[in-house]
Amino acid sequence: MLNPLQSSLLPPSTVGSSCLRVATYNIHKGVRGMGPTKRLEIHNLGLAVEALDADIVCLQEVRHFHEAESRRFSRTQFGHMGWPSSPQADYLAPEGYEVAYRTNAVTRGGEHGNALLARWPLGDVGHHDVSDHRFEQRGLLHVPVHWQDVTVHVVVVHLGLIHASRARQAERLAELVRSQIPAGAPVVVAGDFNDWNEKLDGILEDAGLQRALGPDDSRVATFPSLVPVLSLDRVYTRGLRCVSVMVPRGASWARLSDHLPLVVELERVG
C-alpha cells in the first residue's frame, strides 16, 4: 500500500551514510478528538514513523496499555483497525528496529511514557524519575545506541507544563549528562520540552548541549500541528553537528497528533 505520508519532502535515507537521522514526536497517546468524535490514529502513526525513515525515533505520550481505550476501539468493533494487541511502541516500530520503553505516568486504567525506536543496536535502558510535583509524573529515558562504530547516548524527554518545574527538570537532565555519560561520548537529547517561553537553552548549554537549529539558526515550530507557532519539540546534541532540520507538514500530518514531528540530520564533530 502506498503511504500517503511519504510525500514529506524528506531527503534520501541515511542508511550507509555518515549522517544520523533523529526524529522526535509526541504522538498524543495514539488518539485524537473527544467524546463521540474521538478517533484512533495509531495505525496512521505507524505509517508516519515509517515515512520518517529515521535511524532513531524518540516518542512521547506512548501507551503501553489503557483499558478504556482498548475497549472503546475494540477489535470486535473495528477489526484490524482496532486497538493494537501489542504495546504502542512495539506496534509503531518499523521492521527490524529495536525498542526501548519506560512508563512515566500511571493514570486510571492505564499509563504512558517515553519510547525510543532505533535501526541500530541498543545498550542498557535507563529511566530517571524527574517528577517535580504530585500533579505531573515525568521521566527521562536514557538509552545508548550503537551507531556504526560509536555509541551515541540518547535521552528522550517530556518536561512539565509549569516553568519552574521545567527549569528544575532541565537542571536534572543537565546533571545526568554531566555525571552519567562519558565526557567524550556523543549525546542526543530529544523530546517535548514544553518550553513555550524559550528559557531552557542556557541550562542545557551548561552541560555542553547545543540546540539543533536550521541553517539560519531558526527555531522550527511544531505545535499546534494545524497551525504551528511554538517550538516545543527539540533536539539538543553534544559531539554532533546539525546539518539539516525539517518538519513534515500538511493535512495528513496535522490530523495525527497535536504536535508535528521534528527531524534532524547530524554528523560527527571532528
Side-chain angles (χ1 to χ4, degrees):
M1 179 183 295
L2 178 65
N3 183 348
L5 298 170
Q6 289 285 2
S7 59
S8 56
L9 304 181
L10 282 164
S13 174
T14 56
V15 175
S17 80
S18 61
C19 283
L20 179 72
R21 181 178 294 166
V22 177
T24 181
Y25 199 2
N26 182 326
I27 67 165
H28 201 261
K29 308 179 184 75
V31 299
R32 291 299 306 275
M34 299 178 64
T37 64
K38 182 180 286 189
R39 64 183 186 271
L40 185 63
E41 290 289 351
I42 194 68
H43 304 285
N44 291 326
L45 284 161
L47 296 176
V49 169
E50 183 181 16
L52 297 175
D53 193 26
D55 298 287
I56 298 170
V57 183
C58 302
L59 301 174
Q60 306 85 50
E61 293 196 24
V62 183
R63 293 273 199 212
H64 189 76
F65 73 95
H66 194 274
E67 295 171 356
E69 299 287 26
S70 63
R71 289 194 300 269
R72 166 69 177 83
F73 300 104
S74 71
R75 297 177 73 83
T76 302
Q77 290 182 290
F78 291 85
H80 71 282
M81 295 302 289
W83 191 264
S85 56
S86 56
Q88 288 184 348
D90 296 285
Y91 179 80
L92 293 173
E95 184 177 358
Y97 278 54
E98 296 196 18
V99 177
Y101 173 83
R102 291 293 184 271
T103 297
N104 287 340
V106 177
T107 57
R108 184 176 179 179
E111 53 73 78
H112 59 86
N114 295 336
L116 183 146
L117 320 177
R119 60 162 50 108
W120 300 91
L122 304 183
D124 293 337
V125 178
H127 182 260
H128 307 269
D129 186 351
V130 293
S131 302
D132 191 64
H133 53 82
R134 65 187 182 91
F135 299 107
E136 288 185 304
Q137 302 169 68
R138 304 287 178 174
L140 309 175
L141 177 68
H142 172 205
V143 188
V145 178
H146 304 297
W147 170 55
Q148 297 179 352
D149 60 347
V150 67
T151 297
V152 179
H153 287 259
V154 182
V155 184
V156 188
V157 310
H158 188 190
L159 301 188
L161 298 173
I162 301 171
H163 169 67
S165 292
R166 283 195 302 275
R168 287 188 287 269
Q169 289 162 352
E171 289 167 356
R172 294 173 69 179
L173 169 59
E175 180 57 27
L176 166 67
V177 172
R178 284 192 293 262
S179 65
Q180 298 194 34
I181 297 176
V187 179
V188 172
V189 178
D192 177 1
F193 286 79
N194 273 316
D195 184 27
W196 58 269
N197 54 357
E198 294 282 349
K199 298 291 187 181
L200 299 184
D201 282 5
I203 296 173
L204 299 178
E205 285 173 1
D206 289 343
L209 296 166
Q210 297 296 318
R211 185 165 166 181
L213 299 171
D216 55 352
D217 290 337
S218 59
R219 295 175 170 84
V220 183
T222 56
F223 181 87
S225 58
L226 188 61
V227 185
V229 294
L230 297 174
S231 302
L232 303 187
D233 304 279
R234 303 177 188 173
V235 175
Y236 293 83
T237 67
R238 187 188 76 184
L240 296 162
R241 179 186 300 110
C242 179
V243 296
S244 72
V245 177
M246 68 86 58
V247 174
R249 301 185 187 277
S252 295
W253 289 96
R255 68 166 283 141
L256 300 181
S257 171
D258 55 343
H259 290 247
L260 294 171
L262 174 70
V263 184
V264 305
E265 291 191 356
L266 309 170
E267 64 181 10
R268 297 188 223 184
V269 175

